[in-house]
Amino acid sequence: AALNPWDVMLCVSGTAIACENALVVAIICYSPTLRSPMFVLVGSLATADLLAGLGLILNFVFQYVIHSETVSLLTVGFLVASFAASVSSLLAITVDRYLSLYNALTYYSERTVLCIHTMLAGAWGVSLCLGLLPVLGWNCLHDHAACSVVRPLTKSNVTLLSASFFLIFLIMLHLYIEICKIVCRHAHQIALQQHFLTASHYVATKKGVSTLAIILGTFGASWLPFAIYCVVGDPDYPSVYTYATLLPATYNSMINPIIYAYRNQEIQRSMWVLFCGCFQAKVSFRSRSPSDV
């Protein structure tokens, strides 16, 4: 079959996603110092995005090399599980950032570690179940009238996935609003202690709130068009609409390593060690807390 340019772009996007996140996973696994709950969450996100990138590559290969309904279902289920785990890991990171500010005094307790691991286990468990649904029979291979804009997923299946995304997005929005309130409250308390709000405090607060807006805005801009189209779209519409909304959604997995990993100075230091074999002491690094954004 002739190559579809959209499929090629998805494959290229998957290759970039896999390479970026494979580096993050390698750094976290290579560095024994990156074992705190914050880096466990970043590692979970990078692993999910790495699998999503590999899924996009496999989907391209199997689509043009192996024509099998079983393989198609397995690939689609793999992609659903991977992207669901990615979005769920983003929610877990948001919860972690909120807890690091709301319960700053008890954040580094064993209870927090248990909470993080429980969240991740639940996130990956739910994602795996969502990915198995098409394989276990929730598909439209034998009922084309039930197909959605994403074949072979059914309309009810993509509606469930979209509703889950909207719920996660609203929870993240609420938590980031609460984080902004806490940050502004801390700045106000510092201002009262010093009798005025210094320029540095104002700049830091503004930068933190702006960064939160960029994080949530990037996530929403990437996934909302596709989630909305899955609900309102019709399978008879041209497939270009599906590709045009799905491709930006994959970019979120490409941006995640930049936002959550490469900006972290502990990971930057580990990259120096990994690639240079030594750490240059003249390069200064500052340890960052999970609440840093």
Side-chain angles (χ1 to χ4, degrees):
L3 286 179
N4 186 335
W6 288 101
D7 289 329
V8 175
M9 286 189 288
L10 284 175
C11 182
V12 172
S13 177
T15 303
I17 291 170
C19 293
E20 278 186 299
N21 288 281
L23 178 59
V24 176
V25 173
I27 290 172
I28 293 178
C29 293
Y30 174 81
S31 306
T33 58
L34 305 180
R35 295 294 182 270
S36 66
M38 175 180 63
F39 293 112
V40 171
L41 292 171
V42 173
S44 172
L45 176 63
T47 302
D49 288 332
L50 169 61
L51 294 176
L54 293 177
L56 290 172
I57 298 173
L58 292 176
N59 181 66
F60 176 82
V61 173
F62 292 148
Q63 185 174 356
Y64 290 96
V65 177
I66 303 176
H67 301 281
S68 169
E69 292 183 350
T70 302
V71 173
S72 175
L73 284 177
L74 290 174
T75 305
V76 170
F78 185 79
L79 283 171
V80 169
S82 301
F83 281 118
S86 175
V87 174
S88 301
S89 296
L90 287 174
L91 176 60
I93 290 176
T94 306
V95 173
D96 177 65
R97 286 181 167 178
Y98 173 75
L99 292 176
S100 68
L101 290 171
Y102 184 77
N103 296 322
L105 297 178
T106 60
Y107 173 77
Y108 292 97
S109 64
E110 294 183 0
R111 183 178 178 182
T112 301
V113 176
L114 178 62
C115 178
I116 297 299
H117 289 166
T118 303
M119 280 197 303
L120 287 181
W124 280 91
V126 172
S127 301
L128 180 61
C129 291
L130 291 174
L132 286 175
L133 290 178
V135 181
L136 296 177
W138 202 2
N139 58 70
C140 63
L141 290 179
H142 304 292
D143 184 12
H144 295 287
C147 280
S148 67
V149 294
V150 184
R151 295 180 178 88
L153 300 181
T154 64
K155 295 177 182 178
S156 55
N157 195 342
V158 297
T159 300
L160 173 63
L161 294 174
S162 298
S164 301
F165 168 79
F166 292 137
L167 178 61
I168 290 177
F169 181 76
L170 290 176
I171 294 174
M172 289 178 62
L173 177 62
H174 172 71
L175 289 176
Y176 275 130
I177 290 175
E178 293 299 318
I179 289 174
C180 289
K181 290 180 179 179
I182 295 174
V183 171
C184 293
R185 191 183 309 128
H186 287 177
H188 181 68
Q189 291 174 350
I190 294 174
L192 291 178
Q193 293 176 0
Q194 298 182 356
H195 304 294
F196 63 94
L197 184 62
T198 62
S200 60
H201 291 146
Y202 173 77
V203 171
T205 303
K206 183 178 179 181
K207 180 180 178 181
V209 174
S210 299
T211 305
L212 290 175
I214 292 173
I215 291 173
L216 191 63
T218 301
F219 176 65
S222 299
W223 277 105
L224 277 176
F226 181 66
I228 294 174
Y229 182 69
C230 284
V231 176
V232 303
D234 189 274
D236 294 330
Y237 292 169
S239 60
V240 64
Y241 295 155
T242 301
Y243 282 114
T245 54
L246 176 60
L247 188 62
T250 65
Y251 292 159
N252 186 66
S253 296
M254 198 182 303
I255 298 173
N256 284 337
I258 300 173
I259 295 178
Y260 296 98
Y262 294 134
R263 291 175 62 249
N264 188 283
Q265 297 191 16
E266 293 293 334
I267 291 182
Q268 291 176 11
R269 176 166 53 188
S270 298
M271 289 180 64
W272 275 97
V273 177
L274 182 63
F275 289 112
C276 301
C278 61
F279 174 67
Q280 297 182 2
K282 65 180 181 180
V283 181
S284 62
F285 293 92
R286 179 178 62 86
S287 179
R288 298 173 60 138
S289 69
S291 60
D292 288 337
V293 292

